[in-house]
Amino acid sequence: MKNCVEIRWHGRGGQGAKTAALLLADVAFKTGSYVQGFPEYGPERMGAPITAYNRISPDEIRVHSNIYHPDYVVVVDESLLESIDVTEGLNPDGAILINTSKSKDDIEKHLNVYKGKVFTIDARKVSVACLGKYFPNTPMLAGIVKITGVMEWDKFLTEMEASFKHKFSSKPEVIEGNMNALKMAYDEVK
């Protein structure tokens, strides 16, 4: 599809990769895009590798399959670089976003022959600073929105705040922490 942005998420069960993909789809839909957001996993358990996907387009999406040649890849857990070829099928004109405290140079040796853009963010640092606990999905979500430009940042923040208010209506501190994590993550992408 010509105008469609395809994103593949790699994470481990319990890290929020599926939730982030579904949130991205929800927010993109609310800003007027056609979307798909779905996970792929079997009888997985906490900590097992999972994959999730997004398609975001200004045009109707007629494809209903996994994404084999993504424009972007998000790696929520850097340990997956040791066991999964996260760059498989990745468009060289796209990019990969990796949750790590390591430098880009330290990470690139795990990316096989991929020569496209590589971005990193320390989602642990961001989430602990803003939420007091390690929840990598919120920082990774902000990072992929920044990198892809699939929607305007201000619209994204507005819709995310509405989503958090709905989900955490009885926990205003969680709403504030997640909003702070989004904003900090946007500035932390390298």
Side-chain angles (χ1 to χ4, degrees):
M1 292 184 56
K2 194 165 98 177
N3 296 318
C4 187
V5 173
E6 295 183 319
I7 302 168
R8 186 174 65 215
W9 297 74
H10 292 280
R12 294 190 179 276
Q15 291 179 325
K18 177 184 97 168
T19 300
L22 297 177
L23 267 171
L24 181 58
D26 187 48
V27 170
F29 176 75
K30 289 177 180 173
T31 61
S33 294
Y34 289 90
V35 300
Q36 291 179 354
F38 54 98
E40 173 192 26
Y41 53 100
E44 310 301 2
R45 63 199 181 285
M46 185 76 75
I50 68 114
T51 308
Y53 305 93
N54 286 113
R55 284 190 179 94
I56 302 170
S57 177
D59 305 317
E60 187 174 345
I61 300 171
R62 297 182 182 266
V63 176
H64 298 282
S65 68
N66 288 348
I67 295 172
Y68 301 102
H69 299 284
D71 301 300
Y72 300 92
V73 167
V74 180
V75 181
V76 181
D77 187 318
E78 75 175 295
S79 71
L80 293 171
L81 298 174
E82 304 284 335
S83 58
I84 296 173
D85 180 7
V86 297
T87 63
E88 183 179 0
L90 179 56
N91 183 340
D93 294 328
I96 186 168
L97 173 65
I98 303 167
N99 173 15
T100 183
S101 60
K102 296 177 183 170
S103 73
K104 178 181 164 186
D105 293 336
D106 289 339
I107 290 297
E108 284 183 328
K109 63 185 170 201
H110 298 288
L111 301 180
N112 297 328
V113 295
Y114 179 71
K115 297 297 180 208
K117 295 177 189 165
V118 177
F119 295 90
T120 62
I121 182 171
D122 188 346
R124 178 178 299 277
K125 176 179 126 182
V126 172
S127 64
V128 169
C130 297
L131 299 164
K133 293 183 179 179
Y134 182 45
F135 298 109
N137 59 338
T138 300
M140 299 307 287
L141 186 54
I144 197 62
V145 168
K146 178 180 182 176
I147 291 167
T148 62
V150 293
M151 68 190 79
E152 292 177 27
W153 181 248
D154 291 339
K155 287 183 180 179
F156 170 72
L157 285 178
T158 300
E159 292 301 331
M160 285 302 297
E161 186 171 25
S163 180
F164 289 146
K165 283 181 178 177
H166 176 74
K167 186 173 182 179
F168 302 114
S169 60
S170 63
K171 300 177 182 177
E173 70 282 358
V174 174
I175 298 166
E176 182 181 356
N178 274 289
M179 292 306 296
N180 289 338
L182 291 172
K183 293 170 189 171
M184 182 178 176
Y186 186 88
D187 294 332
E188 291 285 321
V189 173
K190 297 178 178 137

